[in-house]
Amino acid sequence: MCPLRYPLNTDSRGRYLILNGMLEGQPITLATVYGPNSHQLRFIKRFLKKLISLASGPIVLGGDFNILINATLDYSGPQRSGRPDLGDVLKVNSLHDIWRYLHGGERDFTFLSVSHLSQSRLDYFLISSDLITKATKADIGTATWSDHAPVSLELRSDMPNPAPPQWLLNTFLLKNPDRVHYFRESLREFLATNDTPGLHFHSMVCPKSFHERHSFTSSGQTEKTAELTYLRGLN
């Protein structure tokens, strides 16, 4: 069952999506936003007010905000006075710029304006305070087909890691004589080709299934030669 539940909450222009759900048994709210090119601060304030009112748990919000968080660190280019930023708005709403939190005073940008000869960081993830300790990685990628660079966020899971599945041979394959012949020839070619001085492969070969397992030792080529002799006699 999908841990996220509908309905989605969005606006008529498709500028944001808000989705509540469960993650590791706990409520969480995921949201994305695409800020307008004008009146950005007013739009973001209204959107965050709605997001906070609908949230059912910690918030993970990502998108293209089209507005800076810090006009000094997140912008490089001709200086313009009165440039708005989101710094105070995020404090009021208890949201955190996790890329800045993890990267300190580093400067990196997600948007290049050729016409204005400027670079800006306009794309980012904002998270609630109780998710900060779970954030392990936040990166800015390389812009390719889009004029904005992608951003990514990784959160640590508190669930135990499941044991890796054990590989089992599909014995149905051994009922096909052509496939068995292919296994035999491939193993013979492998042993003949990988003739490394000082190393040999100790293999346990079942004459019926030709199922092999190899481990490396350093006692010379004696057993490998014996293996080749054994394989030649399988025909």
Side-chain angles (χ1 to χ4, degrees):
M1 179 180 295
C2 177
L4 301 175
R5 62 177 181 269
Y6 287 84
L8 284 171
N9 193 289
T10 184
D11 68 336
S12 59
R13 296 186 177 183
R15 289 209 169 266
Y16 63 79
L17 293 172
I18 302 172
L19 184 61
N20 291 317
M22 302 293 291
L23 181 65
E24 298 182 352
Q26 300 297 321
I28 191 169
T29 297
L30 305 180
T32 183
V33 65
Y34 175 43
N37 291 319
S38 62
H39 306 293
Q40 298 97 325
L41 188 57
R42 183 173 64 182
F43 170 84
I44 295 298
K45 284 182 177 180
R46 290 179 177 177
F47 165 67
L48 290 180
K49 182 177 180 180
K50 185 177 187 66
L51 174 62
I52 298 298
S53 69
L54 294 174
S56 64
I59 293 171
V60 178
L61 166 62
D64 173 6
F65 290 76
N66 264 320
I67 188 173
L68 304 171
I69 294 178
N70 185 306
T72 301
L73 292 176
D74 297 328
Y75 175 79
S76 175
Q79 296 301 313
R80 290 183 290 173
S81 61
R83 182 187 298 275
D85 64 49
L86 287 180
D88 292 337
V89 175
L90 300 189
K91 291 178 182 178
V92 170
N93 291 280
S94 299
L95 292 173
H96 303 271
D97 173 12
I98 191 59
W99 186 89
R100 178 63 59 204
Y101 180 87
L102 294 176
H103 292 264
E106 180 181 337
R107 303 187 76 195
D108 201 353
F109 309 100
T110 64
F111 177 69
L112 168 65
S113 173
V114 177
S115 59
H116 294 95
L117 300 177
S118 65
Q119 297 181 92
S120 308
R121 189 169 70 94
L122 305 176
D123 309 79
Y124 33 85
F125 280 98
L126 306 177
I127 64 174
S128 300
S129 301
D130 41 1
L131 291 178
I132 290 179
T133 57
K134 290 180 175 290
T136 60
K137 190 176 182 181
D139 285 333
I140 296 175
T142 302
T144 53
W145 58 271
S146 171
D147 57 352
H148 285 248
V151 294
S152 61
L153 169 65
E154 293 183 10
L155 298 175
R156 186 191 71 251
S157 171
D158 291 330
M159 299 290 286
N161 292 328
Q166 184 178 4
W167 181 87
L168 295 175
L169 175 68
N170 181 1
T171 56
F172 180 79
L173 298 175
L174 303 177
K175 297 181 180 181
N176 185 325
D178 292 336
R179 193 168 295 274
V180 170
H181 177 74
Y182 171 78
F183 290 160
R184 180 195 298 122
E185 295 303 316
S186 296
L187 179 58
R188 179 183 287 109
E189 179 181 357
F190 175 80
L191 292 171
T193 302
N194 292 273
D195 189 11
T196 305
L199 293 176
H200 81 285
F201 302 93
H202 175 69
S203 56
M204 293 175 285
V205 183
C206 172
K208 183 176 181 181
S209 68
F210 301 99
H211 173 217
E212 69 278 3
R213 290 178 295 172
H214 299 285
S215 61
F216 292 93
T217 64
S218 58
S219 59
Q221 302 294 317
T222 304
E223 292 189 26
K224 181 178 176 182
T225 302
E227 288 173 359
L228 289 172
T229 302
Y230 170 73
L231 286 169
R232 293 188 186 101
L234 290 177
N235 290 330

